[in-house]
Amino acid sequence: MTEKKHRIPDVVIRRLPVYLRYLQQLMSYDVDTVSSQQMGHDLNLNPAQIRKDLSIFGDFGVKGMGYRVSELADKLSKILGLDKEIPIVLVGVGNLGAALCRYNRYQKSATKIVGLFDGHPAKIGQVHGSLEVRPMEELVDFVRQNNIKMAIITVPAAAAQSVCDALVAAGVKAILNFAPVLLNVPEGVRVQNSDVTVELQALAYYL
Amino acid sequence: MTEKKHRIPDVVIRRLPVYLRYLQQLMSYDVDTVSSQQMGHDLNLNPAQIRKDLSIFGDFGVKGMGYRVSELADKLSKILGLDKEIPIVLVGVGNLGAALCRYNRYQKSATKIVGLFDGHPAKIGQVHGSLEVRPMEELVDFVRQNNIKMAIITVPAAAAQSVCDALVAAGVKAILNFAPVLLNVPEGVRVQNSDVTVELQALAYYL
DNA sequence: GTGCTCATGTTAAAATTTTTACATACCGAA
DNA sequence: TTCGGTATGTAAAAATTTTAACATGAGCAC
């Protein structure tokens, strides 16, 4: 397959990080080849779907063999844009924010939190990992000066939209939002919501 | 429509909590009626989809008027099983676990964390909110004795499967999993994964 | 080189999900 | 009580996503 025929479906994009992590795991076990069948088995996915997803981006496999693990991992990293480090700001250093911040330090992922912000005066100056919490007033300048395109929002619901607006105004293009509100963003800005309450409530249905 | 024609799609179930929260918000503003059009506008969804989702469970609307907010909220609560309190155990009281635990206390949701467990000896006995961290050895008995059907896993990846097995053995039917691994569960047990890394990486694609 | 095996990439079919379109029926006003 | 305005519930169409099926070609043994 050549390059992007059409816009690539979101569902596909969301599976790529899953493939990537799986491949990285295989690498750590020194596996150097894997078939779509094996992947499908391990990831609970249809092998054809995996092949189809991958073939959107190129002919990565070898007929009769499968995929070379580290090669495919590289390709996926590049496709996702994870071959360069992606700096992130986190706004709202409450419990969850602090947890994410700590979590981020242990991973050797391309996405890296480089700035912490909070509107609560008592929080300013607190240190989490190697980062000091900065006041909201500095947010826009910081984002602009460091050319930051991605942000995590972990402020209370009531503050989320105004934080979001500030981020967008400063040039942020992708937001992972933990506040339980629907954020309003202009075209071209991507929001991914993550909401524990919603997930628990949906799970409750199946009991 | 009458009762469940077929199995109800997961996508629909996952939208119900979103509707529910929206309705609760309307209630807090003393709005007592809402149309699918209004809802669709506010939630960024197609009005027909909302009507269709709701009509699966019954004729909740009034022609020419829309939906009575508090009535619909009640119905949705009941459908999701949120009319009774749902007790939850949380396993793995690290940063994220503690954050979720704290978060849960502030919400007045039907889902309620009633037990905290951790395998790390240093954590045992720590108090978070009104709950004391218990040792893993007590997990199975606690779950059985309190007839707990839902759990949150916030342990490291390496421990997640064995925790999961213990939970399932004790009778848990729904698991919200924050560990970055695919859990293996028998038929009839539901797992919902929540994985910040995956979400950040998927977002990266859009930059 | 030749031939055999195997797993890909891809085309076609099936299944699912979303959107459109509209007949129906409720509410409120006259 | 009748009528007009309006938003539902649903049937049909469109779009999307998943799954099945298979021709193709790479690697390996000989």
Side-chain angles (χ1 to χ4, degrees), chain B residues 26-43:
Chain B
L26 290 185
M27 282 169 77
S28 78
Y29 295 143
D30 291 318
V31 177
D32 40 59
T33 267
V34 68
S35 68
S36 62
Q37 180 144 79
Q38 182 67 47
M39 286 183 72
H41 173 265
D42 294 344
L43 295 174

Side-chain angles (χ1 to χ4, degrees), chain B residues 41-192:
Chain B
H41 173 265
D42 294 344
L43 295 174
N44 264 130
L45 293 170
N46 186 307
Q49 181 169 71
I50 296 172
R51 293 201 298 278
K52 201 164 203 219
D53 285 353
L54 296 177
S55 74
I56 293 175
F57 301 98
D59 288 11
F60 300 144
V62 182
K63 291 203 164 115
M65 274 212 93
Y67 299 89
R68 287 189 226 287
V69 174
S70 77
E71 183 189 313
L72 184 54
D74 275 2
K75 299 279 191 185
L76 288 180
S77 281
K78 210 155 281 164
I79 289 163
L80 288 168
L82 300 171
D83 49 337
K84 323 168 195 19
E85 190 170 278
I86 298 177
I88 304 179
V89 292
L90 183 150
V91 187
V93 192
N95 292 111
L96 182 57
L100 292 178
C101 181
R102 194 93 49 114
Y103 182 69
N104 192 250
R105 294 190 60 224
Y106 291 123
Q107 303 287 116
K108 50 171 192 309
S109 170
T111 54
K112 187 171 184 193
I113 297 174
V114 299
L116 259 32
F117 294 85
D118 203 297
H120 205 77
K123 296 262 178 66
I124 314 300
Q126 278 183 11
V127 175
H128 293 263
S130 54
L131 298 173
E132 199 171 325
V133 179
R134 299 162 197 264
M136 290 296 286
E137 290 74 38
E138 297 178 12
L139 177 61
V140 171
D141 278 351
F142 185 91
V143 168
R144 283 218 183 95
Q145 275 161 30
N146 295 86
N147 197 32
I148 288 168
K149 297 298 174 205
M150 195 182 283
I152 300 175
I153 294 182
T154 42
V155 301
Q161 185 61 59
S162 75
V163 166
C164 173
D165 292 343
L167 289 167
V168 169
V172 163
K173 295 296 181 201
I175 295 172
L176 179 52
N177 173 43
F178 286 89
V181 277
L182 203 74
L183 295 177
N184 232 303
V185 293
E187 192 94 9
V189 177
R190 187 103 201 161
V191 176
Q192 176 65 45

